[in-house]
Amino acid sequence: MSHNSPVKDDQAQGSKKGLCLPISRVRLIMKSSPDVSSINQEALFLTTKATEMFVQYLALSSFNNGQGRESKSLSYSDLANAAEEMETFQFLTDILPKKILARDYFKSLEQMREEEEEEEEEEEADL
């Protein structure tokens, strides 16, 4: 008689229902909200399935609209570009920001400071 771990049981249960994500992880994330006291099994299943479908749609859209076609791979930059350029995924721009080099960031930060100083000087001159 074999004893399966809860994670393996959960994965087996998920695969029976056509799910790839572990239901126990989705339940854990849902319960992390202070507004959630109990989770209906049907709601848990539908949330898990909807999450899988969303991730698949994001990956396919990023792949098709990015450089993934040429390299036959999906990169972070493909995901970040999709989040920035496609209206459907714009809510993800904070989670998937475009990567920039530190020197470019510091350069833009310095430019912003200079612009702010110029604006302050103009305001003082107007007074």
Side-chain angles (χ1 to χ4, degrees):
M1 184 165 138
S2 66
H3 294 279
N4 292 335
S5 70
V7 174
K8 287 183 180 179
D9 287 342
D10 194 37
Q11 288 172 344
Q13 180 184 9
S15 63
K16 288 178 186 174
K17 294 180 180 179
L19 297 176
C20 296
L21 292 176
I23 291 178
S24 61
R25 298 293 170 106
V26 176
R27 181 185 298 116
L28 185 66
I29 293 168
M30 290 174 72
K31 283 194 170 193
S32 69
S33 172
D35 299 330
V36 175
S37 58
S38 65
I39 301 167
N40 181 320
Q41 282 300 109
E42 290 84 16
L44 180 61
F45 173 78
L46 290 175
T47 301
T48 304
K49 190 65 178 174
T51 302
E52 287 180 1
M53 292 172 71
F54 172 76
V55 170
Q56 183 178 26
Y57 180 65
L58 172 62
L60 286 172
S61 297
S62 300
F63 180 82
N64 290 332
N65 295 318
Q67 298 174 351
R69 286 183 176 186
E70 292 116 31
S71 63
K72 294 189 178 182
S73 64
L74 180 64
S75 68
Y76 178 88
S77 62
D78 293 335
L79 294 168
N81 286 336
E84 186 174 297
E85 295 169 5
M86 299 177 71
E87 187 176 341
T88 306
F89 302 121
Q90 284 186 348
F91 72 98
L92 295 172
T93 54
D94 291 339
I95 298 168
L96 294 169
K98 282 192 170 183
K99 290 185 178 182
I100 61 170
L101 297 174
R103 69 171 175 259
D104 294 337
Y105 171 76
F106 288 125
K107 188 185 292 183
S108 67
L109 189 60
E110 185 61 34
Q111 288 175 345
M112 287 174 43
R113 287 181 183 156
E114 289 173 2
E115 290 172 5
E116 287 177 2
E117 288 174 5
E118 288 174 6
E119 288 176 8
E120 289 175 3
E121 290 173 0
E122 289 176 5
E123 288 176 6
E124 289 176 3
D126 289 340
L127 295 176

